[in-house]
Each structure stands twice: as C-alpha cells, then as structure tokens.
Amino acid sequence: MRTKNGKLWTKDFTCITAATVLSAVGGEAMNLPISLLVFEETGSTLLSALVFVCGILPDFLFSVLAAPLIDKSGKKKWIVGLDILTAVIYLGMGLWVAGHEFDLAFYLVFVLTIGSVSVLYRLAYGAWYPSLIPAGLEQKGYAVSNSVYPIVIIAVSPLAAFLYERISMAEIFYLVAGITVLSIVIEGCIRETHSKAPEKYSWKTYLSDIGEGFGYIKREKGIRNIYTYMSITSGVSDGNIILTQAFYQSSPYLTVTMLGFLKSAEMIGRGIGGVFQYRMEIPVKKRYAFTKMVYGCYNVMDMLLLFLPYPLMLGNRFLCGALGICSATIRETAVQCYLPENMRARVNAFFNMAFAAGSVLFQMAAGLMGQVMPYRAAVVILAVFTLACMEVLIILPAKENRPVYEAVRE
C-alpha cells in the first residue's frame, strides 16, 4: 500500500482551487441571468431549452477533435489562454449589450461560443487537475473540487438573481469578465509539469492519436462500463428534473418556491458529503462495494421521490446529494488514477460526448413520457430502467470494473 506524501494544500493545489471557485462563481453569475432574460423576453420554455442545447452542442462537435491536441501539449497554456479568450468575449458582449436591444439569435451565438470554449477548458482542466494533487491525497483533492460547485450554487444563485434585478446585463458581463481576469492571474502562479510536446505534429499523427483514444476505450471495458452507466444515470437525472418541475407546477399543494428549496436541499447534501469525503477516506478495497450501494440507493430514492410528503422529499434530496457527491469523488479519484496522463483528455472527451448525448436523449424522453402518462409513473419507469442498467454495466462485470475502482496513482 502506498503511503501518502506531503500535504494537500500546496501552492499549486491552493491556486487551482481558488481558480476553480472563481470559474464557478463567474459561470453561475452569468448562466442564471441569461436564462432569466431569455424567458422574460420571449415567454417561451422551448426557446429557453434551445439556449441550453446550444450550450451542450459543442460537446458533440469539439471534444474528440480537440482532445489529442490538449493531451500532446502543456495544460497551463490552454487554461490561461482560454480564460483570456473568455474574458475578451464577456467584455465584448458587455459592450454590445450596452448599445443594443435584446436579440435572441445573438445570445444563442454567444452561448454556442462560450460552450465551445468551455469544452476545451474542461478537457484541459480535467487532464491537468490530477497532476496538481499530491500523490496519495487524490480522494481529498476530488472531495474539494466536487464541493466547489454545490457551495457556489447555494451562495451565488440568490446573488445572481439579485444582480439581475438591480443592474444591467452589460454590467453583469463586465463583472464576470473581471472575475475571469482574476482567475487568470491566479492560474499564472501554478507551475507547469507537462513535458514539451514534439516540435512536429502532423495531420497523420493527429488522426493516429484519435484512433489511439478509441482503441484505449475499446480495450478498457471497465472504463467504458462505468462511463456508459454514468451517461445514462446523469441523463435520467436531467430528465427527472423536467418531470419533477412539471409535477410541482401542476400540483395544488406544491409551489415553485418549494421546488427551489428542494434543489437547495440537494446542494446542501452535496456540500456536507464533500466535507465527509475530505475528512474520512473510503478505503481503496471498499470503493467498488460502496459505489454499488450508493447507485442502488440513489435509484430507489428517485423512484420514491414524488410519492413522499414534502418534508420527506427534502430529506430524500439531501441524502441523494450527500451520497451522490461521495460516489462522484470516488469515481473521479479512481478513474483519473487509472488513466495514463497522456490519455486523460482523449478519454474524457469521448465521455463528454456520451454525457451530452445522454442529457439530450433522456430529457426528450422524459418530456415525451410526461405528455402521455402521469409524472410519477414516468419517474418510476426511468428509475427502473436505470436500475437495470446498473445491474448490466456496474454489478455483473465486476471483473472489469473492480480494478478501475481500486486504482491508485503510482
């Protein structure tokens, strides 16, 4: 068994965590006002959904194509360069918005552009972050990163809504541009550990690298099983959000405000679960068993959610949030330790596409099911389907999956 080396909060890890917080704050401060603005100006949920689709469309278009370039080069220059581009885009949007009326097409182009930049940023970040965690402290490191977004959503969502009502969209764009610039300064303090890429990188080599990524996924059944299941369960979760919202809006004893508290309960659960993961590490040999338990509990609680009285719904989502962040931390710790450093971006890119496909597919499926059957029945059917997928992809192929969950970084 490998011993843990040093402390977690090194200069590099502290800087990347601070940059992650700023990135999350800027994203939430921008996403919510845009969502509110589009619905306020159009009154259409369909057009609001179109904005969402534009945000995830780049995952289909760019992930796999860009991943070999990121794997072959230093991650820091990608992170800093993309943040500089993001700050310029936000500043330009602020200047444009200040002098023009609302234009949906322009906002769709903006979301598509930022979504494209975000795809590249997430690939570079996902490939770089594991290298900045001291060896032996991966679970604590991922517990920190997985806790950032829930805490930021809890803290920033009300602030973003407040800003939307108090200041102009142009000023919000300027504010987020400033936050991004601060993030750039902090990222510049992190040392780059990646060796220099070969000077010549031909089209033939590029195609070979893409083929190498496909070949790796084809060989590694455990990785493929885990991420296939995650794309399904994540997509079903997105679909359940639509069904749950419709259930609340059509129920005489539930309100949209109560729905907001339901989301807050889950975010609080995630935050507390992240603290638990930081302070109490799950032994390597127990990761697989713990993950199976969490997935089973999560699916059963999804199945029961809309049949519970409201106080128990809050408890249900709180527990799901806590368990979900624990399993996510274990999965990321194991998978990123298992993947070779020079394959991380390519493998993550393939599964970014799978996650995006799962999100679109199951949101559409949930929407169609909600049109022809009771919302509760639709949620139960999706939960049963996910349980079946868990059996096929996670439980039965234990021989392939267990080595991934028990991986440690040498």
Side-chain angles (χ1 to χ4, degrees), residues 327-343:
S327 68
T329 299
I330 288 173
R331 184 189 72 252
E332 290 186 36
T333 299
V335 169
Q336 297 306 323
C337 287
Y338 188 84
L339 292 175
E341 181 179 356
N342 67 336
M343 292 296 297

Side-chain angles (χ1 to χ4, degrees), residues 49-78:
L50 183 59
V51 173
F52 169 79
V53 170
C54 285
I56 65 173
L57 191 60
D59 283 290
F60 291 102
L61 302 177
F62 301 128
S63 287
V64 173
L65 297 177
L69 302 176
I70 292 173
D71 270 333
K72 288 291 184 180
S73 58
K75 312 304 183 291
K76 178 176 177 177
K77 70 178 183 180
W78 278 97

Side-chain angles (χ1 to χ4, degrees), residues 29-147:
M30 197 74 265
N31 292 340
L32 182 58
I34 288 178
S35 177
L36 294 171
L37 176 68
V38 170
F39 186 77
E40 179 181 319
E41 293 288 344
T42 66
S44 170
T45 55
L46 178 61
L47 292 176
S48 297
L50 183 59
V51 173
F52 169 79
V53 170
C54 285
I56 65 173
L57 191 60
D59 283 290
F60 291 102
L61 302 177
F62 301 128
S63 287
V64 173
L65 297 177
L69 302 176
I70 292 173
D71 270 333
K72 288 291 184 180
S73 58
K75 312 304 183 291
K76 178 176 177 177
K77 70 178 183 180
W78 278 97
I79 294 290
V80 174
L82 290 168
D83 265 343
I84 292 172
L85 178 59
T86 299
V88 170
I89 293 172
Y90 282 142
L91 180 60
M93 275 297 292
L95 294 172
W96 188 90
V97 167
H100 295 80
E101 298 294 326
F102 174 80
D103 185 336
L104 177 63
F106 199 83
Y107 273 94
L108 291 177
V109 171
F110 164 74
V111 172
L112 187 63
T113 303
I114 285 295
S116 301
V117 174
S118 296
V119 167
L120 303 178
Y121 185 93
R122 291 198 305 272
L123 288 173
Y125 178 90
W128 194 26
Y129 187 80
S131 302
L132 301 177
I133 304 174
L137 297 171
E138 290 84 5
Q139 184 170 312
K140 284 183 179 291
Y142 279 106
V144 171
S145 67
N146 286 333
S147 299

